[in-house]
Amino acid sequence: MRFRPRPAAARPVAVIGVSLLLVLGIFALSGYDVEAIIAGTVDGSVGSPAAWTQTIRWAIPLLIIALGVGLAFQAGYFNIGAQGQMYVGAIGSLALGLVWRDGPVLVVLPCAFAVGIALGALWSLVPGLLRTRLGADEVVTSLMMNFIAVLVLEWVCTGPLKSRDGTGQAATTDQLPGAFRLSDGSGVSPALLVLCGLLMAGAVVLTGRTRLGLEIRLVGRNPVMAQWMGIRASRVGLVVFALSGAAAGLAGAVEAYGPSGSLRVGFSPMVGFMAVIVALVGTFGPLRTLLAAVFFGALRAATIYLPVVSDLPQAGLDMLNGMVALWITVSTVPALLRRRRTRAAAQAGDPPGGPAHRDPEVVNSRG
């Protein structure tokens, strides 16, 4: 049997390749040493064990968040509030660790992570409820929740949890006790790798072996047809919002108890947004999401290393990330248009039972 690459998997690779070529072309026309940039990108991402450590360090939160965001995408919801959900999860988990700093590690850590997961889920349910109950655009509401979370983080770092030993140059919180840390400053440890493995296995089972996974896919493809089969789109919507927020909250707890052991204003400012791109590149498959997380983790590690070996300014580094993100987003438009046309065609008829038995989410989507 001849192997034929799947278009769904090949498209993101092609888009990333074209994006990188465009950026390198712009750098070359601007007079920068493209060879040095390419060499620095390779050296900073995969050129040494230390570079691989940095790549994995950034891939971990990207993978955790993207697995949750991918569930929302599969159901047809665009939860782009992962950055704010990560922030509130980090704040809640860190606050518990600081307040209960004398508690037993085996009790404090599970409780702290449970708090982070719960707060991330609750933060995500706000745009979820606005979408499923009032028909509000979840892209706008989840984005606005990000800004609120940034302000909450700033208030926490300059107020209730402000470090008493700080220099005043940056707003940070107190450090967690060393016994609570899941990794050193590298952000990589066997415990975190095991956690990612468990989440990957859970995502595979959920999407491919459970009724909820089937309902998520059906609602994403055609909410009206799903309702004909007895599935409430609004219920599934709330579930995927909660799960995606929980994953982001978990990533926030990992950041707080992993590489830093504390929080500062604006920490990891692009992780949540980049995880959305990782979920898009992953095309809703856990394995492809893992590969995408490693790639964007490598890209993040490279942009940190490039200023050491190249005169490329920060704006150029931002362009490197932004161009890839732009074209990945643009490449999803045809799929979104097809989904919209499918919904419009399916909504030409009423579900059994008449209007009185319609799901509020389906009714809202017709507007």
Side-chain angles (χ1 to χ4, degrees):
M1 181 182 295
R2 296 180 61 185
F3 172 76
R4 295 183 180 179
R6 296 180 61 182
R11 188 183 302 113
V13 175
V15 170
I16 291 173
V18 172
S19 301
L20 293 177
L21 289 176
L22 286 173
V23 172
L24 292 176
I26 294 173
F27 291 162
L29 293 175
S30 301
Y32 293 102
D33 188 347
V34 174
E35 292 185 3
I37 294 173
I38 295 175
T41 300
V42 174
D43 291 341
S45 57
V46 296
S48 66
W52 269 108
T53 298
Q54 275 295 297
T55 293
I56 296 172
R57 179 264 179 273
W58 292 108
I60 287 173
L62 291 175
L63 173 65
I64 294 173
I65 298 173
L67 288 174
V69 172
L71 290 176
F73 285 169
Q74 284 192 60
Y77 297 94
F78 292 88
N79 176 17
I80 61 172
Q83 188 70 34
Q85 294 148 23
M86 182 183 75
Y87 277 170
V88 297
I91 293 169
S93 61
L94 183 91
L96 187 142
L98 293 177
V99 171
W100 203 3
R101 60 172 59 247
D102 296 326
V105 175
L106 294 181
V107 176
V108 174
L109 282 180
C111 291
F113 274 64
V115 169
I117 291 170
L119 288 178
L122 290 174
W123 201 261
S124 181
L125 279 175
V126 174
L129 287 168
L130 291 175
R131 176 66 177 95
T132 58
R133 296 294 182 256
L134 302 177
D137 190 335
E138 71 272 21
V139 173
V140 176
T141 54
S142 60
L143 183 62
M144 293 302 102
M145 294 295 288
N146 283 338
F147 291 111
I148 298 174
V150 169
L151 295 176
V152 173
L153 175 65
E154 182 177 347
W155 170 70
V156 166
C157 291
T158 57
L161 302 180
K162 181 180 179 180
S163 174
R164 293 160 291 184
D165 302 324
T167 62
Q169 295 179 350
T172 62
T173 66
D174 285 328
Q175 286 279 332
L176 285 167
F180 293 168
R181 300 282 297 278
L182 293 178
S183 72
D184 56 17
S186 69
V188 179
S189 70
L192 293 180
L193 296 180
V194 169
L195 174 63
C196 290
L198 292 175
L199 291 174
M200 282 283 297
V204 171
V205 173
L206 175 62
T207 56
R209 296 290 186 271
T210 66
R211 176 175 177 174
L212 176 60
L214 177 61
E215 291 179 349
I216 289 172
R217 293 194 300 272
L218 288 174
V219 169
R221 292 172 182 172
N222 192 324
V224 176
M225 183 63 70
Q227 188 182 8
W228 290 347
M229 300 177 67
I231 301 171
R232 290 184 63 85
S234 58
R235 180 186 63 83
V236 173
L238 290 177
V239 169
V240 296
F241 268 101
L243 289 175
S244 58
L250 174 60
V254 167
E255 287 292 293
Y257 283 75
S260 62
S262 64
L263 300 181
R264 60 179 175 81
V265 173
F267 76 94
S268 302
M270 296 303 296
V271 168
F273 295 108
M274 193 59 68
V276 175
I277 308 301
V278 170
L280 289 173
V281 175
T283 57
F284 316 142
L287 179 59
R288 291 192 292 270
T289 301
L290 172 62
L291 297 176
V294 172
F295 171 80
F296 281 95
L299 193 61
R300 175 62 178 166
T303 57
I304 295 174
Y305 178 77
L306 272 176
V308 179
V309 296
S310 172
D311 58 350
L312 190 67
Q314 184 61 44
L317 301 177
D318 294 338
M319 182 187 299
L320 189 62
N321 286 291
M323 185 68 76
V324 175
L326 170 65
W327 288 108
I328 286 295
T329 304
V330 169
S331 69
T332 64
V333 171
L336 297 180
L337 292 177
R338 286 195 298 270
R339 178 179 293 172
R340 183 168 298 180
R341 286 195 294 267
T342 301
R343 284 192 175 194
Q347 290 166 1
D350 286 332
H357 293 83
R358 294 179 189 166
D359 191 313
E361 167 61 13
V362 176
V363 175
N364 287 333
S365 69
R366 297 190 180 194

